[in-house]
């Protein structure tokens, strides 16, 4: 699997509500910064992603500008992604225009994120009730 395919598979897993932790390097140095959190270490990331999957549904993930550069045995990725989902705990729809960046390293299954950063460019529908 290429780095581009790995990113696409991550988006597909997010949409499907599948496990996301396998996309990350199992290391205490792995970092994931999301819209509202900063997670350090594979265990913390895996726990947070399990909770996210448990409390959210109906994900829409629309990539519009994926760029991937492979260099020196790793890959850097950047993308602009429209995200929306239903927050089952808050009974609210969430939507954001986001910017993604990350670093992927080769793994036994292909590639895995050593670092991921997702930030909100624009808040579209924060807290809209269904």
């Amino acid at each position: 699997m290429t780095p581009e395919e790995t990113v696409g598979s991550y988006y597909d897993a997010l949409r499907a509500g599948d496990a996301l932790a396998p996309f990350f390097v199992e290391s205490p140095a792995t970092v994931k910064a999301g819209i509202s959190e900063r997670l350090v270490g594979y265990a913390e990331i895996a726990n947070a992603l399990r909770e996210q999957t448990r409390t959210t549904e109906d994900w829409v993930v629309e990539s519009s500008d994926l760029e991937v550069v492979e260099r020196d045995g790793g890959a850097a990725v950047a993308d602009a992604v429209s995200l929306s989902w239903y927050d089952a705990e808050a009974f609210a729809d969430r939507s954001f225009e986001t910017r993604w960046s990350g670093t992927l390293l080769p793994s036994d299954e292909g590639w895995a994120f050593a670092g991921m950063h997702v930030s909100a460019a624009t808040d579209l529908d924060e807290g809209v009730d269904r």
Side-chain angles (χ1 to χ4, degrees):
M1 188 179 301
T2 68
E4 292 92 344
E5 292 167 337
T6 300
V7 173
S9 292
Y10 183 86
Y11 295 162
D12 289 343
L14 183 55
R15 288 183 198 101
D18 293 339
L20 299 172
F23 288 91
F24 289 85
V25 174
E26 292 188 38
S27 166
T30 301
V31 176
K32 180 185 178 293
I35 293 171
S36 62
E37 81 274 329
R38 181 176 181 272
L39 307 168
V40 179
Y42 178 81
E44 187 174 5
I45 293 166
N47 288 336
L49 289 172
R50 273 192 298 278
E51 181 67 7
Q52 173 185 293
T53 298
R54 186 186 72 76
T55 60
T56 61
E57 54 193 55
D58 299 331
W59 280 84
V60 176
V61 182
E62 297 174 348
S63 168
S64 62
D65 194 23
L66 180 60
E67 299 286 335
V68 178
V69 175
E70 286 186 61
R71 183 177 306 137
D72 298 329
V77 300
D79 202 357
V81 181
S82 295
L83 287 179
S84 63
W85 66 92
Y86 182 68
D87 180 333
E89 288 195 325
F91 305 106
D93 289 318
R94 307 288 185 205
S95 294
F96 294 92
E97 293 300 318
T98 62
R99 299 170 292 226
W100 293 51
S101 60
T103 304
L104 292 129
L105 297 175
S107 72
D108 292 339
E109 292 78 36
W111 293 82
F113 286 99
M116 177 189 282
H117 181 265
V118 179
S119 60
T122 305
D123 178 1
L124 298 177
D125 296 317
E126 178 72 21
V128 174
D129 293 332
R130 257 194 181 179

